Amino acid sequence: MSEPKAPTPTPGDTYKGWLFKWTNYIKGYQRRWFVLSNGLLSYYRTQAEMGHTCRGTINLATANIAVEDSCNFVISNGGAQTYHLKASSEVERQRWITALELAKAKAIGMQTESDDSGDECPSSSPPPSGQGGGARCSEVQSTLRTLGSKVEDLSTCNDLIAKHGSALQRSLSELEGLRLGGETGEKIRQVTERATLFRITSNAMINACRDFLALAQTHSKRWQKALQSEREQRVRLEETLEQLAKQHNNLERAFRGATVLPSSQANSASDSKGSAPGKGDMSDEDEENEFFDAMEDAPEFITVPADPKYHRRSGSNVSGLSSETGMDDQSSHVEPVKKRRTRIPDKPNYSLNLWSIMKNCIGKELSKIPMPVNFNEPISMLQRLSEDLEYCELLDKAAKCQSSLEQLCCVAAFTVSSYSTTVHRTGKPFNPLLGETYELDRLRESGYRSLCEQVSHHPPAAAHHVISERGWTLRQEIALASKFRGKYLSIMPMGTIHCIFEKSNNHYTWKKVTTTVHNIIVGKLWIDQSGEIDIINHHTGDRCHLKFAPYSYFSRDVARKVTGVVTDKDGKAHYVLSGTWDEKMEFSKVMQSSKGGMGSVENGMESRQKTVYQTLRARELWKKNPLPEGAETMYYFSSLALTLNEMEEGVAPTDSRLRPDQRLMEAGRWEEANAEKQRLEEKQRSVRREREREAARAANPTEEGKVASRTPATAVTDSRGEEASGNHG
C-alpha cells in the first residue's frame, strides 16, 4: 500500500508537533512537544511550556539526521546531544524528515552568508556593559597588540631570509666561477645545489607565511566582531537571568503560605492532585540538569479545615502547645549577664581564581588538596554543630509538655530550625584537628552547656554533648560523606542525634537530611536541603515523619518546604506540621482523616492515593530570628554565630577559639591565615604518618618489644593539638 504524500513544509516556516523521545531504559519513549524554527529544533514537555521552559535545543546546521526504520529517526550534533525520536506513523516521520532537511540546508546557507559578510563588518563596537567589562576589553586589546608585534617580527624575518638567501646564492656563484681542482669544484657544486634547494624551500615558506599573514589580517576584523558579539550576548544573558531570578523570588513570596485549601475544595483537590502524572513522565534530561518534577514531590497528604463543630469543644479536648508549654516564653528568656559581641571584622573582598587552585592539584588525592581560606568561614565544624542550639527554647518548651505528642511537635520544630542558618551560608567551616574541642557555656543565659570534640581522624568524626538545666539532654555523633556530581556537591551527614527529657523519660532519635551545594563550578553558590527524617520516641512509640522537598524551579509550591505528620504508636495521626526550613513551622491538630479518591489514569498508571486531614487552624510553632544588621558583610552569621569565636577566659588549650589560622582569617589577614593553615595541615600529616609507622612496627613480630599506639591526646604536640581531619580546612 502506498502512503499518502506528505506535504512539504516551506523552508522558512515553523514546524511543530508531538514526537516520542527516548529518555532511558526505565521510562523508554516519552511524549514531547517539538518546535522547529530558524534552524533550531527545541522540545518541551507540554505545549504550555513553550513560553518559559525549553528542555533542550539542537542546532541543525551542525547536526546529522539519520533514519532508522519506518517511524524512528536520530538527530545528533556529533557531541553530547543525540535525540532518538519516534513518530506516530511513517507519514508523520517523513514530514519531519523533510522539514528537518530543509531547515538544515537553510541554516547552513545562512551561516555561510554570515561568515562571508563578516569580513566587511567594522570592528568597532561599544565596550561590554556589566562588571569587569572594561578589564576584559583592555585584556583583549593588549593581546591584539602583542599579536600585531609578532606579525611585524614575522614580516621582518621574511625580508631578512630573502636578503641573506640572495647574498648566499651570489657568494656560491662566485666560488663556482673560480678555477679550482676537480675535487674542490665538485664539492662547491654540491654546496650550490643544496643552497638552491634551501632557497626553494625558504621561498615556499615565505610565500606560505605571506599568505597566512594576509589571511589573518583579512579575517581579524571579523574575529574581533564575533568576540565582541559573544561578550554582549553573555552580558544580555546575565541580565536576563537576574531578572528571571527576581521574578521567581516574587512568585515564591506570592505563593508562600497558600498551603491550606478551603473545605469545599477538599474532594476536588484530592482528585486533581491525584490525576497528575507520576514519575513515569519524568525524562532523563530533568535528572541530568538537577530539576525536580513538581508532581513527583507532591504532598503525601492534603490538609483542609475541620468541621466547625470541633471548634466549639473545650480547650481541654483540643489542647494546643500554649497551655502546657508556656508559649508566653516568660520563663524561657533570662537577661544575659555578659554582653556578647554583635560584630566581627567585615569579610575582605578577595578575588579567587578556581582554576589557579585546581591546576596545581591534578593527580593529587582530594584529601590532600590545600584549599585556601577563601572558601571558608571563620568558625570550625565544631562551632557549626553548636549552632544547632540557636533555638534551644523549643526544647525548653518541649520539656514542659504534658503530652508526648505535643512534645514531639516541639522536637520536630527544633530539628527543622537547625537548618535555618544554612540558607545564605555557602562558606565552608574549618575542619577540626584531631583532639580539638569547643565548649559553649550558656548556663546563665540559656541554661545549657555544650561540649564538642573531634574524636576521629580518618574518617573525620565529632561527638557533641549538651546538658540543660531545664530538663533535657542532647547528644550526637556526626561524620560527613560527600559526593561530587560535577555541577553540585551532596553532603550526607552520618550518625544519630539523641534527645532525652528527664521528667517524662522520653528518648527521641533522628538523623539529618542531605545538604546539596549547587553551582560548584559556574554561577552563584546556593544550598538546598532534601530528604526525609523520622523522629522516634522510643519510650512511647510516637513518631514524626518529616519531608524536606527538594527545590524545583518548575514547582508551584513554596520553596524549601517541609511537611510532617505526628502519629502515635498505632499509626493514628494527631498533628500535621508545615512550613519552610528557612523561615517558620506551624502545627495543626488533626480532627479527622480519610483516604482521598484515586486520580485519573494517565500513561497507564494510576496516581497514588492521598490522605486528607481535617485540621484546626494552624498555629505558629517556630519562626526564624532576623539576621543582625550588616550580616551580608559578616558571612551571614546569626547573632549566636557572631559570638561563637569570641575569646573567653578559662577555655581548654585545644578549644577552636585558639586556632591561629581561624583567628587570622576572622581578622581579615587571609594570606597569613593560608600560610598558618598549610603549616598545621603539614604538621598533622607528619604526625599521622609517624603514628602509622608505629602501628606497623607494633604489628610486626620481628620488632623487639611492643610499641603502644598513640592516642589522640598524645598526638597533640603543640599548644593547639595540631592533628587535622581528612579534607583539610
Side-chain angles (χ1 to χ4, degrees):
M1 293 179 63
S2 62
E3 295 281 0
K5 187 175 180 181
T8 303
T10 308
D13 291 345
T14 299
Y15 197 67
K16 307 175 183 178
W18 290 100
L19 288 171
F20 291 89
K21 178 181 177 294
W22 175 262
T23 57
N24 52 48
Y25 286 101
I26 297 176
K27 301 169 186 174
Y29 283 96
Q30 297 292 326
R31 195 165 177 251
R32 297 289 181 261
W33 180 255
F34 280 80
V35 177
L36 174 61
S37 178
N38 297 325
L40 300 175
L41 179 65
S42 306
Y43 75 96
Y44 310 83
R45 183 171 290 178
T46 62
Q47 291 173 264
E49 284 190 346
M50 287 181 60
H52 56 85
T53 308
C54 177
R55 299 285 174 169
T57 300
I58 194 167
N59 189 351
L60 294 178
T62 58
N64 180 42
I65 305 170
V67 177
E68 289 189 330
D69 54 31
S70 60
C71 295
N72 292 43
F73 58 100
V74 179
I75 303 175
S76 174
N77 64 357
Q81 285 181 298
T82 301
Y83 296 166
H84 294 265
L85 307 175
K86 180 169 68 174
S88 57
S89 65
E90 186 173 356
V91 175
E92 184 64 22
R93 186 219 66 188
Q94 188 56 42
R95 288 175 181 166
W96 274 103
I97 292 296
T98 304
L100 291 168
E101 293 290 356
L102 289 172
K104 178 180 178 181
K106 184 178 180 182
I108 293 174
M110 291 176 63
Q111 188 177 30
T112 304
E113 291 174 6
S114 175
D115 292 344
D116 294 341
S117 63
D119 297 340
E120 307 301 326
C121 292
S123 61
S124 60
S125 58
S129 60
Q131 188 178 4
R136 289 193 295 268
C137 183
S138 174
E139 182 182 355
V140 171
Q141 294 298 331
S142 175
T143 304
L144 290 175
R145 283 195 298 270
T146 304
L147 290 175
S149 65
K150 296 299 181 184
V151 168
E152 291 178 1
D153 293 344
L154 183 61
S155 179
T156 302
C157 292
N158 180 12
D159 296 337
L160 289 174
I161 289 175
K163 179 180 177 181
H164 295 321
S166 300
L168 176 62
Q169 197 71 37
R170 285 196 303 272
S171 298
L172 290 173
S173 299
E174 291 172 359
L175 281 175
E176 195 173 15
L178 295 177
R179 293 184 178 181
L180 300 171
E183 185 176 351
T184 305
E186 181 64 27
K187 292 292 184 183
I188 291 176
R189 279 193 296 275
Q190 291 178 5
V191 173
T192 303
E193 289 175 0
R194 292 173 182 173
T196 303
L197 291 174
F198 173 76
R199 184 172 185 183
I200 293 171
T201 306
S202 298
N203 286 336
M205 186 194 73
I206 290 170
N207 291 333
C209 290
R210 187 182 295 112
D211 294 341
F212 171 78
L213 182 60
L215 187 64
Q217 291 174 341
T218 302
H219 288 272
S220 62
K221 292 183 179 181
R222 192 186 71 178
W223 292 338
Q224 292 180 39
K225 180 177 179 295
L227 179 62
Q228 188 65 36
S229 175
E230 289 292 335
R231 260 206 216 96
E232 293 171 354
Q233 185 176 357
R234 176 186 171 185
V235 171
R236 287 194 298 270
L237 181 60
E238 289 176 351
E239 293 173 351
T240 303
L241 286 175
E242 185 177 357
Q243 293 174 2
L244 286 174
K246 291 179 180 177
Q247 294 173 7
H248 180 60
N249 189 37
N250 292 335
L251 287 174
E252 284 182 353
R253 293 180 179 178
F255 280 102
R256 191 176 296 276
T259 57
V260 180
L261 301 177
S263 57
S264 60
Q265 299 179 4
N267 295 330
S268 61
S270 61
D271 292 338
S272 63
K273 285 185 177 285
S275 62
K279 289 185 179 180
D281 195 44
M282 278 189 65
S283 61
D284 56 340
E285 65 270 10
D286 302 317
E287 299 166 2
E288 220 172 61
N289 295 317
E290 194 59 10
F291 291 132
F292 297 91
D293 185 76
M295 301 318 298
E296 178 190 1
D297 295 310
E300 299 176 356
F301 57 85
I302 301 169
T303 59
V304 298
D307 191 278
K309 66 182 180 181
Y310 292 113
H311 295 272
R312 294 194 296 269
R313 292 190 175 185
S314 63
S316 60
N317 293 331
V318 290
S319 61
L321 292 179
S322 58
S323 58
E324 289 97 3
T325 63
M327 280 295 183
D328 54 358
D329 292 341
Q330 291 178 357
S331 61
S332 298
H333 297 285
V334 179
E335 281 296 321
V337 295
K338 178 180 178 181
K339 185 174 178 60
R340 303 286 178 180
R341 68 181 184 180
T342 58
R343 285 201 63 84
I344 60 173
D346 289 349
K347 177 182 178 181
N349 188 18
Y350 289 150
S351 60
L352 179 66
N353 186 351
L354 182 62
W355 173 243
S356 66
I357 299 168
M358 299 305 296
K359 69 180 181 181
N360 297 323
C361 302
I362 296 175
K364 294 182 180 179
E365 293 182 23
L366 187 61
S367 63
K368 295 182 180 179
I369 296 177
M371 300 302 288
V373 298
N374 303 58
F375 293 102
N376 287 46
E377 56 183 15
I379 60 174
S380 75
M381 190 63 187
L382 301 182
Q383 293 166 311
R384 192 72 178 261
L385 280 177
S386 303
E387 254 191 285
D388 288 356
L389 300 170
E390 179 164 1
Y391 299 96
C392 62
E393 63 268 15
L394 289 168
L395 296 182
D396 296 342
K397 295 172 186 176
K400 300 175 184 178
C401 285
Q402 301 298 322
S403 166
S404 63
L405 294 167
E406 294 171 353
Q407 187 179 73
L408 184 50
C409 290
C410 285
V411 174
F414 173 78
T415 302
V416 176
S417 71
S418 64
Y419 297 98
S420 62
T421 60
T422 65
V423 63
H424 299 297
R425 300 271 290 279
T426 56
K428 179 182 180 296
F430 281 77
N431 272 18
L433 309 170
L434 182 61
E436 182 175 330
T437 61
Y438 180 71
E439 180 183 2
L440 185 63
D441 189 345
R442 292 291 189 269
L443 285 173
R444 302 184 70 178
E445 293 100 323
S446 303
Y448 69 83
R449 183 166 176 251
S450 167
L451 183 63
C452 289
E453 181 179 356
Q454 189 75 1
V455 295
S456 174
H457 182 191
H458 274 290
H464 185 200
H465 193 83
V466 188
I467 299 176
S468 173
E469 293 180 338
R470 297 174 184 173
W472 54 269
T473 301
L474 182 77
R475 68 174 187 269
Q476 61 176 317
E477 64 275 7
I478 186 75
L480 300 178
S482 61
K483 290 184 179 179
F484 181 59
R485 304 289 190 180
K487 291 185 294 185
Y488 62 95
L489 176 70
S490 295
I491 303 169
M492 290 78 69
M494 317 292 287
T496 304
I497 305 171
H498 300 257
C499 186
I500 303 171
F501 293 93
E502 297 175 5
K503 183 178 179 181
S504 61
N505 202 30
N506 287 332
H507 181 183
Y508 298 90
T509 62
W510 67 91
K511 298 178 183 292
K512 289 181 176 286
V513 295
T514 298
T515 299
T516 306
V517 184
H518 294 265
N519 295 340
I520 293 293
I521 301 299
V522 179
K524 183 179 179 181
L525 292 176
W526 61 278
I527 291 178
D528 192 25
Q529 314 288 346
S530 59
E532 299 181 3
I533 295 178
D534 280 313
I535 307 173
I536 303 172
N537 184 341
H538 296 275
H539 183 64
T540 63
D542 302 337
R543 180 185 297 261
C544 176
H545 180 76
L546 291 174
K547 182 175 182 181
F548 289 66
Y551 177 82
S552 171
Y553 182 82
F554 308 105
S555 174
R556 293 178 299 229
D557 217 333
V558 179
R560 309 180 186 96
K561 184 176 181 180
V562 181
T563 56
V565 179
V566 175
T567 57
D568 58 21
K569 62 180 180 180
D570 299 321
K572 180 183 177 182
H574 290 265
Y575 290 96
V576 170
L577 305 177
S578 63
T580 58
W581 53 263
D582 68 320
E583 187 173 334
K584 66 178 180 179
M585 287 295 292
E586 296 177 337
F587 74 107
S588 307
K589 187 172 181 62
V590 176
M591 294 290 100
Q592 189 174 346
S593 63
S594 60
K595 292 291 184 181
M598 295 297 294
S600 61
V601 178
E602 185 170 331
N603 294 332
M605 297 179 62
E606 289 185 342
S607 62
R608 62 185 177 184
Q609 197 172 23
K610 296 180 176 64
T611 302
V612 178
Y613 293 116
Q614 291 185 344
T615 64
L616 297 181
R617 181 176 58 86
R619 291 193 295 166
E620 187 174 274
L621 189 58
W622 160 76
K623 186 175 183 180
K624 180 185 177 182
N625 297 328
L627 290 174
E629 184 179 355
E632 61 277 1
T633 64
M634 298 185 293
Y635 309 90
Y636 286 99
F637 278 0
S638 64
S639 298
L640 174 64
L642 289 173
T643 68
L644 293 178
N645 207 40
E646 186 176 11
M647 292 298 293
E648 294 188 15
E649 296 180 358
V651 298
T654 54
D655 196 90
S656 298
R657 300 176 182 89
L658 302 178
R659 283 193 63 153
D661 51 350
Q662 190 171 298
R663 299 226 65 86
L664 287 168
M665 182 191 177
E666 183 185 281
R669 298 155 62 184
W670 283 15
E671 292 184 4
E672 298 173 58
N674 277 319
E676 182 63 21
K677 179 172 175 290
Q678 188 172 0
R679 183 189 73 82
L680 294 178
E681 291 172 356
E682 185 54 41
K683 185 168 187 176
Q684 164 154 277
R685 294 189 193 103
S686 63
V687 170
R688 183 189 175 199
R689 287 192 294 267
E690 179 61 28
R691 190 168 62 250
E692 289 174 348
R693 284 194 293 267
E694 290 180 359
R697 288 195 295 267
N700 192 344
T702 61
E703 293 285 341
E704 294 183 3
K706 294 183 179 180
V707 182
S709 60
R710 299 175 66 184
T711 64
T714 59
V716 180
T717 56
D718 66 3
S719 62
R720 271 292 309 113
E722 315 302 359
E723 180 67 21
S725 57
N727 281 335
H728 301 297

